[in-house]
Amino acid sequence: MIILGVILLIIGFVTGISILWTIGIVLLLIGVVLWVVGALGHAVGGRRHYY
């Protein structure tokens, strides 16, 4: 999700499409929050492990 957010940010910046820029920021923030919560050892989405 973080990588997709970064890709959309880059595409939105290069093409000037603001909706891609906004979606990229939202996906990037959600991805970072989920990554931090998962790294702290909390179950994310009802799963204790990533596999």
Side-chain angles (χ1 to χ4, degrees):
M1 191 173 288
I2 295 172
I3 295 172
L4 181 63
V6 171
I7 291 171
L8 286 176
L9 278 173
I10 293 170
I11 293 173
F13 180 73
V14 170
T15 59
I17 301 173
S18 62
I19 190 70
L20 290 179
W21 181 260
T22 305
I23 294 172
I25 290 173
V26 170
L27 286 179
L28 186 66
L29 290 177
I30 291 172
V32 168
V33 167
L34 290 176
W35 178 47
V36 169
V37 170
L40 292 175
H42 296 283
V44 178
R47 299 178 183 206
R48 295 188 182 270
H49 301 288
Y50 64 91
Y51 52 88

